[in-house]
Amino acid sequence: MAYSDKVMDHYENPRNVGNFDKDESDVGTGMVGAPACGDVMRLQIKVNEQGVIEDACFKTYGCGSAIASSSLVTEWVKGKSLDEAGEIKNSQIAEELALPPVKIHCSVLAEDAIKAAIDDFKSKQKG
Amino acid sequence: MKKPIYLDYSATTPVDPRVAKTLCSYLTVEDGLFGNAASRSHQYGWDAEEAVEKARKNVADLIGANPKEIVWTSGATESDNLAIKGVAQFYAKKGKHIITCKTEHKAVLDTCRHLEREGFEVTYLDPEQDGLVDLGKLEAAMRDDTILVSIMHVNNEIGVIQDVKAIGELCRSRKILFHSDAAQSAGKVPIDVEEMKIDLLSLSAHKIYGPKGMGALYVRRKPRVRLEAQMHGGGHERGMRSGTLATHQIVGMGEAFRLAREEMAAENERVRMLRDRMLEGLKDIEEVYINGDMEQRVPHNLNISFNFVEGESLMMALSELAVSSGSACTSASLEPSYVLRALGRSDELAHSSIRFSIGRFTTEADIDRAVELCHQKISKLRELSPLWDMYKEGIDLSTVQWSAH
């Protein structure tokens, strides 16, 4: 199967690989997918007092498209407010990376990962 | 661009140059050997028939059969179809029950599924964790109306060798016909259809350095096995498979089988040495699992799961190598290898598997490069893997609540 240049670029040089301390109050962690399905994404965001995502990182177990999708969204969410980040749609990710139909689920997973990270951060603030 | 190192000999093999040379001499008017083997009225036909019969003997000799028991087909898939449907339809009055195994090739499984729709009943045996069929379970599945058992000789994904001799004995004692798909074993493992009491055996040319699109089915004459033809026409191949014989393909298969008979012992030794070199080079990587029994296994196959690394991304990382993955993530289904699942491997391990298969033209340098690449790329992908992090933190992944999608 041929991958697009953008997928190859993110796969060869993934951006923002890493971990934040998930127990810190300014960190939101989203982990989605399942090993049984062949994809697990963990996306983390660091949010400042103004509610803006200052930093993001990820680790992904999955195919090249899954790795590229998560790498891309870590770039996209940086500098965005939580609301703006929550509006990122999987179709935008799929379009940017030129994902073929069988890989659309990778972009869906990346969207879910952002939402899960935001939810995690918000629930921490309430607690 | 430099071509990748080919380590996918179980998918197909290149045609041996000696085979290609022989094959090519049966095509043009200059060579004069283009005749139709069914033409009985002139030299061209007689020459073609002679070549076909010589090839038939070469194929028969590799498996201890009589040349009259060899039926030419287009490949092992057609052979499996002809054997299973042919027997089922011919013996339907005697019984409508067939036994096979969950790790069979799709050519067998899908044919059986088709027969189920036609009113046959099929038992799909679970293999043991090592990939082998348990004889007790096979015997327990046998019924008075069982007409056929179809168990492959060597598995295409994990390379394990079934005890076909014991299965053959059991089937014969119960007067059940025994079919075996030997696409992956011919030329790699000694076969003797008499000693193994095999009634029908599927063979392929392109897995042993012959041309693609060519195969054969061994059909036992004593005691005689009857088949309902699946391809009707001019009554070629004693009515079992009509269609003009593809002389050049047949000659190629014959030559490939002749070479296999002569060179199998020496080649197996060399290939096993390469496989062991590879295994030695990979075994110090953490969390590496071999799929399938290591003793009852063909020498050229190494199916390995690199835990916490997904198979497709590993293949992408190993683009310098031509290998295949047990993960079928490229299909919409996201299903991992059904063979590995049938062995009871976890989904993670099934998704993380790579099949390396070594062959006639593999060199030590190829193996060393492959080992080096695996080390590099696996550590890179594990750096990226949240599962690897969790494993390192001592979290048991089976206890995690995953959000399946």
Side-chain angles (χ1 to χ4, degrees), chain B residues 102-277:
Chain B
K102 287 183 178 168
T103 51
E104 288 295 308
H105 192 271
K106 288 286 182 189
V108 168
L109 294 176
D110 273 17
T111 302
C112 287
R113 289 271 180 236
H114 173 79
L115 287 172
E116 281 184 282
R117 289 193 291 272
E118 289 192 345
F120 288 86
E121 213 184 311
V122 182
T123 300
Y124 301 90
L125 296 171
D126 281 306
E128 301 305 295
Q129 281 196 356
D130 54 14
L132 298 168
V133 169
D134 180 80
L135 287 174
K137 288 180 185 166
L138 174 62
E139 190 168 16
M142 289 175 167
R143 312 191 315 211
D144 290 342
D145 63 340
T146 307
I147 50 171
L148 178 70
V149 167
S150 179
I151 301 288
M152 71 200 329
H153 192 192
V154 166
N155 184 273
N156 48 311
E157 286 194 31
I158 53 178
V160 298
I161 307 169
Q162 301 289 353
D163 187 353
V164 284
K165 185 166 183 280
I167 297 170
E169 297 272 359
L170 187 57
C171 291
R172 187 65 58 86
S173 74
R174 298 284 298 258
K175 295 197 167 56
I176 298 168
L177 293 178
F178 175 36
H179 166 249
S180 188
D181 182 335
Q184 295 283 348
S185 66
K188 275 102 181 179
V189 182
I191 300 176
D192 185 327
V193 288
E194 287 308 319
E195 193 196 322
M196 293 168 168
K197 296 190 168 58
I198 294 168
D199 296 309
L200 298 132
L201 188 83
S202 297
L203 298 166
S204 169
H206 78 100
K207 304 288 190 192
I208 58 169
Y209 311 97
K212 293 168 187 59
M214 191 62 222
L217 179 66
Y218 158 80
V219 184
R220 176 173 290 283
R221 278 162 69 94
K222 283 180 193 162
R224 191 174 176 198
V225 174
R226 308 288 298 272
L227 290 178
E228 195 73 54
Q230 303 296 310
M231 188 74 82
H232 301 94
H236 307 77
E237 301 297 281
R238 290 174 292 123
M240 283 190 265
R241 205 277 192 177
S242 289
T244 296
L245 295 177
T247 314
H248 65 298
Q249 299 284 81
I250 290 169
V251 165
M253 181 165 178
E255 183 65 0
F257 274 58
R258 186 185 70 78
L259 291 171
R261 195 173 81 246
E262 284 180 3
E263 299 175 1
M264 182 163 79
E267 182 159 296
N268 272 347
E269 205 169 311
R270 195 187 77 88
V271 164
R272 184 187 303 277
M273 188 270 291
L274 291 174
R275 198 261 318 263
D276 291 347
R277 186 184 181 93

Side-chain angles (χ1 to χ4, degrees), chain A residues 5-18 40-45 55-78 80 88 93 96-97 99 106-107 109-111 113-114, chain B residues 316 380 384 386:
Chain A
D5 291 344
K6 279 181 180 160
V7 169
M8 284 309 290
D9 178 38
H10 278 278
Y11 173 77
E12 296 281 349
N13 311 293
R15 332 292 200 250
N16 309 310
V17 175
V40 176
M41 277 182 198
R42 187 181 62 202
L43 188 91
Q44 293 186 299
I45 51 173
D55 203 0
C57 67
F58 85 99
K59 285 205 176 186
T60 290
Y61 163 87
C63 64
S65 302
I67 290 169
S69 296
S70 35
S71 168
L72 175 69
V73 297
T74 57
E75 284 196 315
W76 277 2
V77 297
K78 275 198 229 178
K80 283 196 164 67
I88 294 174
I93 301 164
E96 173 69 17
L97 295 173
L99 297 181
C106 298
S107 63
L109 211 56
E111 181 190 321
I114 306 170
Chain B
M316 205 170 153
K380 183 195 156 181
L384 269 176

Side-chain angles (χ1 to χ4, degrees), chain B residues 5 274 277 362-371:
Chain B
I5 297 170
L274 291 174
R277 186 184 181 93
T362 311
T363 64
E364 275 189 18
D366 291 342
I367 297 294
D368 292 347
R369 178 66 184 145
V371 167

Side-chain angles (χ1 to χ4, degrees), chain A residues 3 11 35-36 42 60 62 103, chain B residues 312-313 317 348 351 383-384 389:
Chain A
Y3 291 92
Y11 173 77
R42 187 181 62 202
T60 290
K103 294 297 180 188
Chain B
E312 194 185 323
S313 60
E348 295 96 291
H351 270 299
E383 279 301 302
L384 269 176
D389 274 0

